[in-house]
Structure formats: C-alpha cells, structure tokens
Amino acid sequence: SDMSGMSGGSSNSASMPQTRTGLLIPSEFEDVMADPDVFVMNVHVPAAESRLDGTDLEMPYNKIDPELIPVDRSTPLAVYCRSGSMSADAVEQLRALGYTNIAELDGGTNAWRASGRSLSDTASN
C-alpha cells in the first residue's frame, strides 16, 4: 500500500522536530510516543485497564507526584488514560507544576482501540 500520502505535511527543515502538544488523535499520539525523548505517562485508575506499550510511568491522575516525573519542566510528556477525562485532569496538574510540553491522547485508549490500534498485552480487557 502507498503510504506516501499519509504524512501530514512534510517540512524540509533539518532542525529538531517540534513535538506536537495538546489533544492529539491516536496517529499523532503514536508519533509522539515513538520519540525516545518523550516521557509517556498512563494516569488511568486502575492503570492495568488502559496500558500502551512504551509507557514510562503509571501514576494515578489524582496523585501526580513531581518526584517521579523528569525534573526538567521542558521535557515532552505524553499523557493518556482510558477515556480522556483523567488525563485532562492530570494535564491541568502538570501544567500547574510548570510542564509546558504536554501531548494528551484525545479520547484515551478507547479512541486508540477504535482506531484499530492495540493496547499492551498486559492490559486487562
């Protein structure tokens, strides 16, 4: 299959790609997660209900612990939960802590699965 039409606008700049922030659809969120510099957080409670491969940290959305997150506030974060409501809450707290580069999975892992993507094998159904 021809994938050439799939990329959303190609830029020829050789500089660092700017990480997408804000609410991202699954394909965009997947791209962000693929960046090794991005710190991926599952904030769903319980975490096992919605787990994506490549997650760096599982932390309850209502118990955001700055000690466990990279101390550099410009670190790109990718935050998700199951439906998007817990992650919205977590993102607010992270912004309040001073994090500026946050991608959030719009619709959570429900939307991820609806897009045909799979959860981690360790996620419960």
Side-chain angles (χ1 to χ4, degrees):
S1 64
D2 179 21
M3 298 293 285
S4 62
M6 294 293 284
S7 70
S10 58
S11 66
N12 295 326
S13 69
S15 63
M16 286 288 295
Q18 180 56 48
T19 308
R20 297 290 300 271
T21 58
L23 278 173
L24 304 186
I25 62 173
S27 60
E28 295 170 326
F29 194 79
E30 189 174 45
D31 286 345
V32 169
M33 281 184 70
D35 183 334
D37 294 331
V38 173
F39 189 80
V40 182
M41 299 170 57
N42 175 8
V43 297
H44 188 70
V45 181
E49 285 183 358
S50 67
R51 182 175 288 148
L52 300 179
D53 288 324
T55 300
D56 295 303
L57 177 68
E58 301 194 323
M59 174 187 294
Y61 75 100
N62 55 354
K63 297 195 178 85
I64 296 296
D65 183 352
E67 301 286 307
L68 300 176
I69 313 168
V71 72
D72 182 350
R73 296 296 194 262
S74 67
T75 301
L77 306 177
V79 181
Y80 70 91
C81 65
R82 189 169 64 178
S83 69
S85 59
M86 292 182 184
S87 60
D89 218 46
V91 166
E92 267 184 39
Q93 296 171 67
L94 290 164
R95 288 213 175 100
L97 288 169
Y99 290 91
T100 55
N101 194 341
I102 307 172
E104 182 186 350
L105 177 55
D106 192 8
T109 55
N110 289 343
W112 181 271
R113 288 171 72 172
S115 73
R117 292 169 168 80
S118 55
L119 300 185
S120 167
D121 291 337
T122 52
S124 62
N125 293 316

